[in-house]
Every structure is written in structure tokens, then in C-alpha cells.
């Protein structure tokens, strides 16, 4: 007989100490699926900015076999692409505008389509290592490139 779900027991359970950071993904070029895109904006000392944030799920079996001794079948990661804006606050188009964005869209097979068309697409990403932003003594993974699958 199975027990009923009891949220109170979970809230009061002794979980012990857990990890506070994710192990960096291995250097490599796995295939990833785009699961979410979002546009963030803000203002800094240099002026207003916009960024496309892309969430990726890596389930490439050969690649995942090299991560944490193959104990996980998928990993999530993300990266951002800074965007050029036009005078009206939209995404700029034209010569020398949003080249990295358009290369990413091209690699995903959706150049010329709305950014929402990126969701569900597959892309090969290049993962390298760099010092972590919050603690340079730690290693973080970094998506440094992308290409068509």
C-alpha cells in the first residue's frame, strides 16, 4: 500500500546540506534544444540595453555520457545575445545590425521568422570553460558558438 503525499512532512524533513553550484558542463559541441526564449531590458551607465536570453536542454547521449560520469541524461544551460535596438525600442534590422542574433537564427533554421519560432529548434553549441563571474577561482561553462545540426 502506498502512502499519501504529505507536504508537511516534506517541509519538515531533514534534507542535509546540498550543492550550491552546478558542475560545469564539459568542453564539447553537443546538440541542444531551445526550450525558452525571453527578452530582458535595462539601463546601465552606457545607456539602455536589450538581451535575448535562450534556455537550452542538452540531451545529446554521447555528450551527456561524459558529464558527471554519465549519471544524468540531460542538462539545462542558457546564454544571452545582446541586441541592437532601433529608435523606437524595437529590434534593429539592416546592415551591421544584430549579426550574432541573425547567425543564431540561421543556425536554428528560423532566420526571417519571429523569435518565438526558435522554441523547439535544435542547434549545435560550442561549450568552453571560463572563470566563474562570482568567483574567478571556480570554473564555469560558456557557450562560445553555435552551428546548424
Amino acid at each position: 500500500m502506498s502512502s499519501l503525499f504529505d507536504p508537511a512532512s516534506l517541509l519538515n524533513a531533514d534534507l542535509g546540506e546540498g550543492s550550491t553550484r552546478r558542475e560545469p558542463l564539459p568542453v564539447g559541441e553537443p546538440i541542444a534544444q531551445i526550450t525558452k526564449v525571453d527578452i530582458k531590458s535595462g539601463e546601465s551607465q552606457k545607456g539602455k540595453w536589450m538581451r535575448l536570453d535562450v534556455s537550452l536542454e542538452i540531451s545529446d547521449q554521447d555528450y551527456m555520457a561524459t558529464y558527471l560520469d554519465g549519471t544524468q541524461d540531460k542538462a539545462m544551460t542558457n546564454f544571452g545575445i545582446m541586441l541592437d535596438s532601433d529608435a523606437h525600442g524595437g529590434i534593429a534590422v539592416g546592415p551591421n545590425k544584430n549579426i550574432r542574433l541573425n547567425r543564431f537564427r540561421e543556425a536554428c533554421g528560423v532566420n526571417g521568422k519571429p523569435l518565438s519560432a526558435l522554441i523547439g529548434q535544435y542547434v549545435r553549441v560550442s561549450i568552453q570553460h571560463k572563470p566563474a563571474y562570482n568567483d574567478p577561482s571556480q570554473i564555469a561553462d560558456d557557450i562560445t558558438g553555435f552551428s546548424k545540426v
Side-chain angles (χ1 to χ4, degrees), residues 35-103:
T35 60
K36 181 180 174 186
V37 293
D38 194 16
I39 295 181
K40 303 279 190 208
S41 63
E43 200 163 338
S44 70
Q45 294 174 341
K46 295 180 181 180
K48 294 182 180 181
W49 57 267
M50 285 193 309
R51 182 183 68 224
L52 176 70
D53 286 339
V54 180
S55 297
L56 300 167
E57 179 179 288
I58 299 171
S59 56
D60 185 319
Q61 291 180 352
D62 293 336
Y63 178 81
M64 291 306 297
T66 68
Y67 183 53
L68 299 177
D69 297 325
T71 57
Q72 289 185 222
D73 58 352
K74 67 180 177 179
M76 299 298 294
T77 191
N78 55 62
F79 76 103
I81 298 174
M82 295 307 291
L83 302 174
D84 298 318
S85 59
D86 61 21
H88 305 289
I91 297 173
V93 294
N96 299 318
K97 300 293 182 187
N98 289 304
I99 301 301
R100 187 165 191 242
L101 169 66
N102 296 330
R103 286 180 178 165

Side-chain angles (χ1 to χ4, degrees), residues 47 122 135:
Y122 288 88
D135 182 357

Side-chain angles (χ1 to χ4, degrees), residues 21 130-141:
R21 67 179 294 280
K130 68 177 185 177
Y133 176 74
N134 294 347
D135 182 357
S137 70
Q138 299 289 322
I139 298 296
D141 50 74

Side-chain angles (χ1 to χ4, degrees), residues 124-147:
R124 183 173 303 280
V125 293
S126 178
I127 298 175
Q128 300 296 319
H129 287 164
K130 68 177 185 177
Y133 176 74
N134 294 347
D135 182 357
S137 70
Q138 299 289 322
I139 298 296
D141 50 74
D142 185 27
I143 295 178
T144 60
F146 36 81
S147 61

